[in-house]
Amino acid sequence: MNGPRRFPEAAREALGDSQLRANLRRATHTIRDRRAAVVAEIGEWEALREAGRAIKEATMRHLDVHLEALERSVTDRGGVVHWARDAAEANATVARLVHEAGAREVVKVKSLATDEIGLNDALAAEGITAHETDLAELIVQLAHDTPSHILVPAIHRNRAEIAALFRRTLPGAQGVSDEPAALAEAARRFLRERFLGARVGVSGANFAVAQTGTVCVVESEGNGRMCTTLPEVLITVMGIEKVIPSLADLGVMLQLLPRSSTGERMNPYTSLWTGVAPDDGPQAFHLVLLDNGRTDVLADATGRQALHCIRCSACLNVCPVYERTGGHAYGDTYPGPIGAILAPQLHGMRGPTTSLPWASTLCGACADVCPVGIDIPGVLIHLRGRVVAQAARGDVPAGERLGMEAMARVFSSRRRYEAAQRLARAGARPLARGGRIEHRLPGPLAGWTMSRDLPAPPAQTFREWWRAR
Amino acid sequence: MSGGAARAAVLARVRSALADVPAGEPGAAVPAVPAAAAPDDLAGLFADRVADYRATVTRCAADDAAIAAAIGEAFARHGAGSSVVAPGVPEAWRAAAPGPEVDEPALALERLDAVDGVLSGCALGIAETGTIILDGARRSGRRAITLVPDLHVCVVLAADVVAGVAEATARLGAAIVAGRPVTLVSGPSATSDIELDRVEGVHGPRRLEVVLAG
Ligand code: SF4
């Protein structure tokens, strides 16, 4: 994991890495262009988004009912449901189930929930090896790295770096070239043996249908199908917010997610399973329902909508802050705009992620693309208010307080924010060198630039440009 | 039943977090999404969309002889010499597959890994997205047979093609309620994890041949 650094310090380092920024810029722009093209094909897109938003909102407001229904449906179909209050409880449950299956290895599908709880390390401490099977997650795992994007976790690495990594660490890949096809082939050969021999598979879930007990995993490579089909035992770890009421709701989500995520009409593979199917796939199925801070998020009537997220990553790809800093600067499993509203709440509004609500220009691009209509800027402002209120109560080191209050005042109104941008432009241009401000800003903002570079403000803001069109 | 204390604690936390929700509030009705106008030529749209994923689409008449000929050509294009066949595939089609072994009784995993390809039918096709739906019934076969071999030849009857995703999920209700696993397939296995360069085929079948009949 990244050290427990606050966003501004981590971002400063990331901003100095030009390879990282070039990789990120290319990736985010490519995916967002694809997304725009396939979204434009759907005439009723806004109605779909509104349906997605309404489904999520209604589900959250009755989450207890849907969770109990899901538990009943899964159990009726031969699955076993486990509940976990926190990461430690979830990890202990998975480890126990793996031991009970008599296995020392598991194959894993990419899953943010299991990243969040640090499952791989917890299993390692129990003598169990977890093999990540998604190509990007394998790259991240071999490099002892952390994901930097929720859809394409290794996007901060280029092909030459990946080839060097494979030659050094992947059995049987000593001579591999740096062609993406050759690298994928090397991963295929290495992982195929793991799939064919696996006794236990571990997955997350994109959705789970309360009414039927059906769990859904959406993916591209086929590793998800392998992990959920070939092992004898399947363990799925799922955040409690992933439940949706009915198959009709799943129909809406399956239209929203792929187009928003990879910019495809549909992702290559979507697996749906309902408990245990006789003679087809794992003959034991365990579903671990994870809280780990989610009920704290639920308790905030404004912040609650962060739980609507379907992890498409569209908001990352349009975010001007993410594009420049990358995912690592956020210091959490959930980076980008969604991370800025979800991570601090999952951590109970404590610790370094409380700086994330300020990792935004409030430009609103995230809210415009979000397929389930989360008002990310609104939640950011709300959370800034919570952090400032905590600080006023003395819950936060005094040094941070003044700056936060000033920032909160500026950011909490569009008019003040735009005025501050104009002011910054007038005042800061003379301080800029090579597009960055490395000197201390005068006055109350001095503390801000002491520990971080600021990009020099552009001559015209987006909003000004837009109005002038 | 494991973790009874955890269950009670999580549900209690959920309920106390929702203290602002009025007791007895009905689950809000989800706004209906107006269905897009269905295209006139569903099969044509389906074929175009499948081809967009760099799968190969062959269109043929809906009679057994034409389907069998298209199946034979699909396997031949990839030089496949052996195959596994879903148990519900009609005998007339099966005979066109090379060295067909019917997955009944279920073949060993090692055998699935050794054959060149698989022949299956499917439950539905979705025109708007170019998606094939395997529903675990006899014509689709169990999941492993269409996953482990490197070439998947799938016969789709034009009559089974629906316009959009919502119709498809509605039609899948019966299979799901019966407890059968369902897989949506849209093109061959692919990854874009390295510099976003799309590479066809990682773990699932690297080549997908769709025979669209009718
Ligand atoms: S917040 Fe919205 S746009 Fe961002 S990842 Fe979640 S669903 Fe996608």
Side-chain angles (χ1 to χ4, degrees), chain A residues 77 82 159 185 188 221, chain B residues 2 177 189 195 202 206:
Chain A
R77 282 282 156 210
H82 309 260
R159 66 182 70 189
E185 171 70 30
R188 176 189 171 94
E221 296 175 5
Chain B
S2 60
V177 169
S189 158
E195 295 184 13
V202 194
R206 287 185 279 196

Side-chain angles (χ1 to χ4, degrees), chain A residues 150 309-315 338 369-372 374 376:
Chain A
I150 61 181
C309 174
I310 58 173
R311 312 277 188 262
C312 72
S313 77
C315 59
I338 179 58
V369 294
C370 179
V372 287
I374 302 175
I376 296 173

Side-chain angles (χ1 to χ4, degrees), chain B:
Chain B
M1 167 80 228
S2 60
R7 178 185 192 278
V10 173
L11 283 170
R13 283 186 197 167
V14 169
R15 289 183 185 122
S16 92
L18 293 172
D20 64 306
V21 177
E25 179 188 271
V30 169
V33 181
D40 302 334
D41 179 14
L42 279 184
L45 180 62
F46 174 78
D48 289 350
R49 294 280 154 97
V50 174
D52 258 10
Y53 298 118
R54 299 188 215 171
T56 308
V57 185
T58 312
R59 297 195 67 169
C60 67
D63 62 79
D64 283 348
I67 293 171
I71 290 169
E73 284 161 25
F75 279 104
R77 254 194 294 283
H78 303 280
S82 58
S83 62
V84 53
V85 180
V89 165
E91 218 177 300
W93 307 358
R94 185 205 311 159
E101 292 174 59
V102 177
D103 184 51
E104 194 172 56
L107 297 174
L109 198 49
E110 294 66 37
R111 186 67 202 133
L112 297 182
D113 193 33
V115 295
D116 293 335
V118 53
L119 173 63
S120 80
C122 66
L124 290 172
I126 306 176
E128 188 178 62
T129 57
T131 300
I132 289 158
I133 301 186
L134 307 168
D135 71 348
R138 289 172 58 79
R139 201 170 261 213
S140 300
R142 66 190 169 106
R143 286 172 288 177
I145 66 166
T146 49
L147 172 62
V148 178
D150 209 15
L151 166 66
H152 181 187
V153 178
C154 184
V155 179
V156 181
L157 302 179
D160 291 333
V161 176
V162 299
V165 176
E167 283 126 292
T169 41
R171 299 253 297 248
L172 284 173
I176 283 173
V177 169
R180 295 207 302 271
V182 170
T183 308
L184 281 64
V185 176
S186 306
S189 158
T191 185
S192 300
D193 279 346
I194 301 172
E195 295 184 13
L196 290 177
D197 261 15
R198 187 179 164 98
V199 175
E200 264 82 41
V202 194
H203 305 297
R206 287 185 279 196
R207 288 153 307 166
L208 175 65
E209 287 267 356
V210 173
V211 172
L212 176 59

